Amino acid sequence: METIKSKFENITEQLNQINPGIQVIAVTKQVGNERTQEAVDAGIIHLGENRPAGLLQKREAIHASVDWHFIGNLQTRKVKDIINEIDFLHSLDRLSLAKEIQKRAEKAVRCFVQVNVSGEESKSGVPAEEAVEFVRSLADFDKIQVIGLMTMAPISEDEGLIRQVFSGLKKLQMEIAEKAWDHAPCTECSMGMSGDYIIAAEEGASYVRIGTALVGTESEVEG
Ligand SMILES: *Cc1c(COP(=O)(O)O)cnc(C)c1O
């Protein structure tokens, strides 16, 4: 059986050939504590969860010096539960959320602004054409540090389409970085999941978020 450690090594080797220094976030939302611990023991230092309850539960169970990434939609009323428990937020997508973070965070939070590059109605995120203005408007919030942008590609067999979405995010990220705003260095791109992380790396991802292909899924754990 292929272990998490060997999968991690294979993925890291693949990614490093494309873009050395790229960071792998193990998305553990579909696995229990045991596999999460196995991931940590394999040398993984970034863990991602998409629900507040899941994040808090894993944080409680896993004793290791890792960075905790919140990658899911964050309801405003849940901000207070997790904002001081995470190291990175990948889903900042509206002003009301920024205001609540400003109110609840004890120190500046490293955030990715989520952008809906594909324009699919089902996807959350700031529309691409509003992203620059949205990031500009975050200057008023000293508890928010915009370190980059995040997106999700459409579920599609069309590699060209996926590539277009990732390159669109990279372009926006560089456009914002060039402005050199104090509150928004915006040097990072969080993009790529199990099915498309290679394409994401080729298009300039600095963080990939990998669940199924790295830690697998356990049916008894809620997705
Ligand atoms: C679940 C999830 C992932 C990982 O998905 P896999 O296809 O299992 O790799 C990445 N990003 C977000 C936002 C997710 O919700």
Side-chain angles (χ1 to χ4, degrees):
M1 202 194 77
E2 215 187 341
T3 60
I4 293 176
K5 188 170 168 55
S6 67
K7 286 183 192 166
F8 180 52
E9 284 167 358
N10 289 338
I11 291 171
T12 306
E13 192 183 317
Q14 276 180 310
L15 290 173
N16 279 336
Q17 281 172 11
I18 302 167
N19 177 13
I22 193 162
Q23 300 291 314
V24 175
I25 301 166
V27 177
T28 53
K29 67 187 184 198
Q30 295 194 95
V31 301
N33 296 338
E34 220 164 289
R35 279 208 210 172
T36 305
Q37 188 63 51
E38 189 186 334
V40 170
D41 294 341
I44 292 172
I45 56 167
H46 298 284
L47 297 180
E49 283 281 331
N50 72 335
R51 290 175 309 134
L55 182 113
L56 293 171
Q57 188 270 328
K58 291 280 186 354
R59 251 213 97 139
E60 184 83 29
I62 304 300
H63 299 281
S65 155
V66 295
D67 280 334
W68 295 93
H69 296 253
F70 192 82
I71 62 172
N73 261 326
L74 182 55
Q75 290 176 286
T76 307
R77 65 188 172 85
K78 297 282 187 183
V79 167
K80 63 177 184 314
D81 300 341
I82 63 151
I83 202 66
N84 295 305
E85 305 292 330
I86 62 176
D87 300 289
F88 296 87
L89 175 69
H90 289 246
S91 51
L92 177 54
D93 62 353
R94 58 195 192 279
L95 221 45
S96 57
L97 183 56
K99 284 180 185 161
E100 184 66 9
I101 293 169
Q102 181 67 23
K103 196 164 129 191
R104 303 288 186 174
E106 285 157 11
K107 56 179 170 54
V109 182
R110 287 172 282 185
C111 297
F112 293 86
V113 166
Q114 185 170 354
V115 184
N116 183 357
V117 180
S118 69
E120 293 166 281
E121 257 177 51
S122 61
K123 285 219 153 56
S124 27
V126 181
E129 59 278 11
E130 294 169 20
V132 177
E133 270 318 299
F134 179 72
V135 174
R136 184 199 303 273
S137 74
L138 297 172
D140 303 337
F141 303 95
D142 66 356
K143 294 288 169 28
I144 290 174
Q145 175 84 346
V146 181
I147 64 157
L149 303 182
M150 177 274 216
T151 202
M152 291 171 80
I155 297 166
S156 168
E157 300 284 294
D158 184 350
E159 194 188 304
L161 179 65
I162 294 170
R163 198 173 285 284
Q164 217 171 48
V165 167
F166 290 153
S167 68
L169 190 79
K170 182 69 193 171
K171 204 165 147 237
L172 269 176
Q173 174 259 304
M174 290 191 300
E175 183 185 335
I176 296 168
E178 265 179 26
K179 300 190 182 292
W181 289 326
D182 280 347
H183 73 289
C186 202
T187 48
E188 314 297 323
C189 281
S190 165
M191 56 190 192
M193 315 191 343
S194 289
D196 54 23
Y197 64 86
I198 296 289
I199 306 173
E202 287 168 352
E203 297 302 328
S206 43
Y207 289 85
V208 292
R209 311 176 308 267
I210 309 181
T212 321
L214 177 55
V215 293
T217 59
E218 292 176 311
S219 50
E220 68 269 26
V221 177
E222 257 183 78

